[in-house]
Amino acid sequence: MKFLLSKVWDIFSFYLHGSVKYARKKGVKVGENCRIYIKNWGSEPFLISIGDHVTVTSGVKFITHDGSTCLIKDEHGKRYQRFLPIEVGSNVFIGVNTIIMPGVTIGSDVVIGAGSVVTKDIPNNSVAIGVPAKVVSSFTDYQEKIKATCVSDTDLQGIQDYSERVHSAIELQRQKTSH
């Protein structure tokens, strides 16, 4: 019963205080102006550090330990342990259902594509995708591509209805890329 009440309180706290405050309450070091869409931080949230202007989308998992070490025992029959921190720089977008493995450092100005498994460090100014995640572009090149093919919020200013905004964006994108 106590466990169930604890889980209910966690969910209530997440929605009452917001995802960033909730992450900090759990022990995650979170910078300024972050958008976080997860509430599960694993068993060692205090090993996770996130910079400024970071978006963590839904389904992202931060893995800070290696559970498979339970298969290896010392001379006393006791298992080995492996824990490693995860560091995320500033100005980072982590796509839906990404898994970040123990000991990984993600630099600043980085996009991690949806569904990626990040097993190694990702340097600054990178776009990384895949399983395992590999750098496929610089952030600078990605930025130029977005500016050339997408619509900014400025272009949609004054359109309040969400559906209308989306349809307007699609039409403006079509016009931008048909030239």
Side-chain angles (χ1 to χ4, degrees):
M1 184 65 164
K2 191 175 182 179
F3 175 77
L4 182 60
L5 287 174
S6 166
K7 289 296 177 193
V8 170
W9 178 251
D10 269 359
I11 292 168
F12 176 73
S13 179
F14 177 82
Y15 290 108
L16 178 68
H17 299 296
S19 57
V20 171
K21 261 188 174 174
Y22 179 78
R24 288 179 179 143
K25 179 180 173 248
K26 290 299 222 177
V28 180
K29 293 169 207 74
V30 181
E32 298 301 315
N33 299 311
C34 292
R35 298 182 312 156
I36 296 174
Y37 298 98
I38 63 169
K39 59 181 165 278
N40 186 349
W41 293 96
S43 52
E44 301 87 29
F46 50 86
L47 292 178
I48 302 167
S49 175
I50 296 173
D52 300 328
H53 306 283
V54 173
T55 299
V56 177
T57 59
S58 64
V60 171
K61 294 192 181 353
F62 291 87
I63 312 295
T64 54
H65 66 277
D66 183 346
S68 69
T69 61
C70 71
L71 299 173
I72 313 302
K73 308 282 194 257
D74 67 14
E75 63 277 2
H76 304 289
K78 301 294 184 183
R79 69 178 278 188
Y80 284 86
Q81 303 285 335
R82 181 173 184 253
F83 299 95
L84 292 167
I86 294 172
E87 295 181 28
V88 177
S90 293
N91 198 33
V92 174
F93 179 89
I94 304 172
V96 170
N97 294 329
T98 292
I99 299 172
I100 303 170
M101 298 302 288
V104 165
T105 296
I106 296 173
S108 294
D109 298 316
V110 170
V111 173
I112 305 292
S116 295
V117 177
V118 185
T119 60
K120 294 187 168 115
D121 293 353
I122 304 297
N124 292 337
N125 190 36
S126 297
V127 175
I129 61 171
V131 179
K134 293 190 183 335
V135 174
V136 296
S137 161
S138 73
F139 182 80
T140 305
D141 288 346
Y142 175 75
Q143 189 175 31
E144 291 307 312
K145 179 182 173 184
I146 294 304
K147 287 179 179 180
T149 61
C150 297
V151 179
S152 88
D153 283 341
T154 301
D155 298 325
L156 303 171
Q157 206 165 7
I159 305 172
Q160 300 300 318
D161 180 74
Y162 182 70
S163 177
E164 188 180 337
R165 281 178 66 87
V166 170
H167 288 293
S168 294
I170 291 169
E171 181 55 35
L172 289 170
Q173 286 167 196
R174 190 176 294 126
Q175 291 172 16
K176 221 175 185 182
T177 58
S178 67
H179 294 106

